[in-house]
Amino acid sequence: MAGALAAFFGCPLGGSLFAMEVNSRFGIEYFEHTLEAILCGEICLVVFRALAGLPIQAIWDISDDKLEATSVVDILYGCVLGLLGAGVAWGFANFHWKVMHMFQHFNLLKNERAIHRAMAGAVVVVLMGMLVPQTMFWGEFEFETIATMAPTKDLMHIWPTSGLLGFEMDSFGSAMIVGVAKLIAISFTVSGGYRGGYIFPAFAAAAALGRAISILCPFIPVQLCVLCMAAALNVALTRTALATTLILAYLSGEQNSISAILAASLVSLFATGYMPFIRSQMVRADLDASLYYSEDYPEEAFSMTPMADVHKMSNTTTTPGAVQGRKSNGGVQVV
């Protein structure tokens, strides 16, 4: 998984960390194989890009003027944008769960109803695309068009690019429409059983919302509005604060924005700590257990007694981390 994501994103460290973080809801819990995963990602990136003849480089150009530096104020902007992105993620998560509940209510999630499920999802996705062309496809190539508010004629995979109504993303209202419509399309794409997932589609939706914010707050650099919103929304859904920061900074060629993106990612991670979105993410039971020890353990073990003497006091096997600690309900917690 680390190798595949590193090759896919073109960012070996970010892709590998994404594979490590996405398994859990709060940080890298499967840390034992972090270096092996990063090495695998680096090797897989080299092999894949060499065989495919693809360069390893940024793929988006959000602004002609790259950020030359990041100030403390920019980091504060990142924190605020992180909270906004977390709020958007909360709204999207509740909407998506209701959509999934609707599909379940009509028995569309069963394998024997796969065709009906696909048709139900396609009706909404295609309708959104006909009205708002920027919502089509998964967003990797559409991200730059949305982030720069370029005309629809620059959309790479859509024809006719103007859609039914000649929609253009050229104002605060139209940017908000693109962001909301894209979130709706994401939900029905996943509910309908189609490919695309959440990562790049969430980036695209957040890019539109970020541009809307930049219109309201022109004193915030456009790059920060777009990238921090993208980071906050994706982190709230996937719980990948470190990986998302590196991936967005690398793909956009905005390395100087890392501090602000990281601030947005961390704020979003903490703000949505009690909003699990990917249900398969689990807390490692062995890590929780390693923090607690039985109350039957001898009291002397929690003094500065040398470890050799502690073993003499009890037949219970211990670890160096248990030498100092405090009692808590149901056991002793390492300090």
Side-chain angles (χ1 to χ4, degrees):
M1 186 175 177
L5 288 173
F8 171 68
F9 287 117
C11 179
L13 182 56
S16 300
L17 288 177
F18 196 102
M20 304 300 293
E21 287 184 289
V22 77
N23 292 296
S24 306
R25 295 177 181 173
F26 212 84
I28 302 176
E29 295 192 6
Y30 294 90
F31 50 81
E32 294 92 340
H33 305 293
T34 301
L35 290 180
E36 292 92 332
I38 294 173
L39 175 62
C40 179
E42 183 78 13
I43 295 173
C44 191
L45 171 70
V46 171
V47 173
F48 169 71
R49 295 286 169 140
L51 293 176
L54 297 174
I56 304 174
Q57 63 182 16
I59 62 174
W60 301 325
D61 190 8
I62 299 176
S63 175
D64 295 333
D65 299 323
K66 300 291 184 181
L67 286 176
E68 297 182 358
T70 302
S71 66
V72 174
V73 175
D74 292 331
I75 297 177
L76 295 179
Y77 289 151
C79 294
V80 174
L81 293 169
L83 281 177
L84 291 176
V88 172
W90 177 84
F92 169 76
N94 284 277
F95 172 79
H96 179 63
W97 291 329
K98 290 181 179 178
V99 172
M100 290 296 293
H101 179 75
M102 179 182 66
F103 272 68
Q104 186 177 22
H105 176 74
F106 290 103
N107 295 321
L108 295 177
L109 300 182
K110 295 182 179 180
N111 289 334
E112 57 269 21
R113 302 290 303 280
I115 301 299
H116 300 84
R117 175 186 183 183
M119 289 295 294
V123 168
V124 177
V125 173
V126 173
L127 179 61
M128 285 291 178
M130 293 170 65
L131 299 176
V132 186
Q134 288 85 347
T135 63
M136 293 295 286
F137 299 100
W138 64 327
E140 178 184 7
F141 297 102
E142 291 72 32
F143 182 92
E144 181 175 330
T145 303
I146 295 173
T148 58
M149 298 186 76
T152 56
K153 65 180 181 63
D154 292 344
L155 294 171
M156 298 180 63
H157 301 128
I158 299 173
W159 186 89
T161 55
S162 59
L164 289 179
L165 306 177
F167 180 87
E168 292 287 349
M169 180 180 163
D170 53 9
S171 64
F172 170 81
S174 59
M176 289 295 295
I177 290 174
V178 172
V180 174
K182 183 62 177 178
L183 291 174
I184 295 174
I186 293 172
S187 182
F188 279 89
T189 298
V190 175
S191 300
Y194 291 100
R195 296 179 179 180
Y198 301 102
I199 304 171
F200 275 108
F203 287 166
L209 298 176
R211 281 313 305 247
I213 293 173
S214 70
I215 294 174
L216 286 180
C217 307
F219 50 86
I220 303 178
V222 171
Q223 301 95 317
L224 295 188
C225 289
V226 171
L227 296 176
C228 289
M229 281 297 293
L233 180 55
N234 185 67
V235 168
L237 300 179
T238 63
R239 322 302 298 162
T240 54
L242 302 180
T244 297
T245 298
L246 294 176
I247 290 169
L248 283 172
Y250 180 79
L251 294 183
S252 64
E254 293 283 358
Q255 284 76 16
N256 288 327
S257 65
I258 285 181
S259 298
I261 300 174
L262 181 60
S265 298
L266 293 175
V267 167
S268 179
L269 181 71
F270 280 88
T272 58
Y274 295 96
M275 188 198 78
F277 184 76
I278 301 177
R279 305 290 178 157
S280 60
Q281 291 176 329
M282 299 177 63
V283 176
R284 282 183 60 175
D286 59 322
L287 285 183
D288 278 354
S290 68
L291 298 177
Y292 296 92
Y293 295 85
S294 172
E295 287 185 338
D296 296 333
Y297 201 76
E299 188 72 26
E300 292 83 352
F302 305 102
S303 63
M304 294 301 294
T305 309
M307 184 55 63
D309 294 337
V310 170
H311 280 291
K312 295 178 182 178
M313 300 174 193
S314 172
N315 292 326
T316 305
T317 303
T318 187
T319 59
V323 175
Q324 285 186 294
R326 67 172 183 269
K327 286 189 175 181
S328 63
N329 293 332
V332 176
Q333 184 180 20
V334 173
V335 178

